[in-house]
Amino acid sequence: MRSYDIVFPSTQGLNPSEEYFFFTLDGEQMKIHLHDYPTIYQYPWLYEAVLYERLGCDSPRGICQILQKLFAEQNVDTSSLQMLEIGAGSGIFAEHLKMTLHIGKIYGLDIHQEAKIAAYRERSGLYSGYYVADLTNLSTEAFAELSQQQFTFVGFASAAGRKNHILVEGIEQAWRFLEPNGWFLCHVGHARPNDPEQEYTHLNDWINRKIEHQQLTLMLKESCFHRYSTNGERIFHDVIVGVKTSSGEAREKLNYE
Ligand SMILES: C[S@@+](CC[C@H](N)C(=O)[O-])C[C@H]1O[C@@H](n2cnc3c(N)ncnc32)[C@H](O)[C@@H]1O
């Protein structure tokens, strides 16, 4: 892995969506927004250096540990699973899924071409395929292609929520590509009081409705350390895992108001 000169600002009280860092390369300093993924993915291993080495992101390891226990208890043959990993980025979560759980096939999906390039550059041979598509605005071709894949596992790490992350409409779209009896994994941040951005609340409401309407059988919900903020605060996310029921096929009208 490359070593980079990365400095975080001393500004206190930034919202997670406002965080940024300074990055110096060849004597030139750049200010990069922490969620400016297309820019970050252009530099080999920069995503891993900032989020994982400097901010201690532990979600891929933590989620895989939780899944490993659950799948063992449920006697899941992980090598037969065909997974759609949404918001896949440069592939760090898929790498853990392969190493720890030996998932048979993983297909990545991300809105940015730069993510696919980074995943194939940093982790060649990991994905069985990688779609570049906006889950909230899929083309007819992408929808048709994803629909015929028969995914038995759909999920994501650190990819839902606020600006530059997948909105609940996109999560609903991915849910449609999951086969009945397939596994669904959701990784969602804790909603903060008075937070102007309500995406985590919307996603939690969406999951609760799936459970109430018996479209999703909840198997596990566990809080897990995600990463440090640039101010050094500990951030936690929930890991939610369930199985899609046969009635989970029913289309539910989205209503967040
Ligand atoms: C924080 S990164 C997560 C990367 C990786 N899953 C990890 O665990 O480190 C979030 C990813 O979601 C992607 N993303 C955001 N909106 C999206 C959308 N509408 N459709 C597909 N991917 C999206 C971003 O491009 C980014 O690569």
Side-chain angles (χ1 to χ4, degrees):
M1 199 175 296
R2 219 148 130 178
S3 137
Y4 283 115
D5 179 0
I6 294 159
V7 176
F8 294 110
S10 49
T11 326
Q12 294 294 310
L14 290 177
N15 274 322
S17 56
E18 295 169 341
E19 290 174 296
Y20 62 94
F21 62 96
F22 295 104
F23 166 57
T24 307
L25 190 68
D26 300 332
E28 192 195 338
Q29 192 183 62
M30 291 169 265
K31 177 181 169 181
I32 302 183
H33 194 276
L34 197 60
H35 296 155
D36 180 357
Y37 299 118
T39 300
I40 295 175
Y41 294 144
Q42 281 175 38
Y43 301 95
W45 300 108
L46 180 58
Y47 178 77
E48 287 78 0
V50 177
L51 271 299
Y52 286 81
E53 284 182 9
R54 295 296 306 276
L55 296 178
C57 183
D58 195 35
S59 286
R61 194 202 58 80
I63 297 171
C64 285
Q65 199 175 41
I66 289 171
L67 285 176
Q68 191 175 33
K69 188 165 172 280
L70 178 68
F71 284 169
E73 283 165 5
Q74 299 294 322
N75 289 317
V76 178
D77 173 11
T78 53
S79 67
S80 70
L81 291 175
Q82 167 149 303
M83 179 178 189
L84 174 64
E85 188 211 350
I86 62 172
S90 60
I92 191 160
F93 182 43
E95 186 176 71
H96 279 77
L97 287 163
K98 277 276 181 187
M99 271 183 340
T100 318
L101 301 172
H102 313 292
I103 303 292
K105 284 187 176 175
I106 308 179
Y107 290 79
L109 184 148
D110 202 283
I111 191 171
H112 296 297
Q113 177 72 19
E114 290 86 347
K116 178 177 180 177
I117 293 170
Y120 280 68
R121 181 185 62 215
E122 263 78 281
R123 300 180 171 87
S124 75
L126 175 65
Y127 286 106
S128 298
Y130 199 113
Y131 300 95
V132 175
D134 177 357
L135 268 173
T136 59
N137 187 22
L138 280 186
S139 66
T140 317
E141 295 75 29
F143 182 84
E145 164 73 20
L146 287 157
S147 300
Q148 53 91 31
Q149 278 285 7
Q150 301 189 316
F151 293 110
T152 52
F153 185 11
V154 168
F156 57 88
S158 320
R162 304 150 193 277
K163 204 166 145 236
N164 300 336
H165 295 84
I166 308 171
L167 302 177
V168 73
E169 291 90 335
I171 309 290
E172 169 72 27
Q173 187 62 270
W175 165 264
R176 292 179 181 146
F177 301 130
L178 179 63
E179 293 287 295
N181 301 317
W183 289 88
F184 189 73
L185 159 72
C186 199
H187 187 222
V188 54
H190 295 177
R192 301 182 340 159
N194 306 321
D195 192 341
E197 296 165 88
Q198 292 294 305
E199 273 308 313
Y200 291 151
T201 308
H202 293 159
L203 185 52
N204 273 302
D205 291 349
W206 178 85
I207 294 165
N208 289 336
R209 276 202 306 278
K210 290 268 177 252
I211 297 167
E212 276 163 29
H213 296 183
Q214 296 174 0
Q215 297 180 338
L216 179 75
T217 306
L218 181 68
M219 303 299 286
L220 174 148
K221 181 171 178 175
E222 206 172 306
S223 181
C224 190
F225 172 69
H226 172 47
R227 67 168 171 89
Y228 290 96
S229 71
T230 54
N231 298 327
E233 291 154 16
R234 286 166 69 79
I235 301 174
F236 287 81
H237 277 17
D238 285 334
V239 178
I240 302 173
V241 189
V243 173
K244 184 176 185 175
T245 64
S246 19
S247 56
E249 286 294 86
R251 301 284 187 266
E252 189 192 331
K253 190 174 177 302
L254 290 173
N255 179 10
Y256 311 115
E257 301 306 321

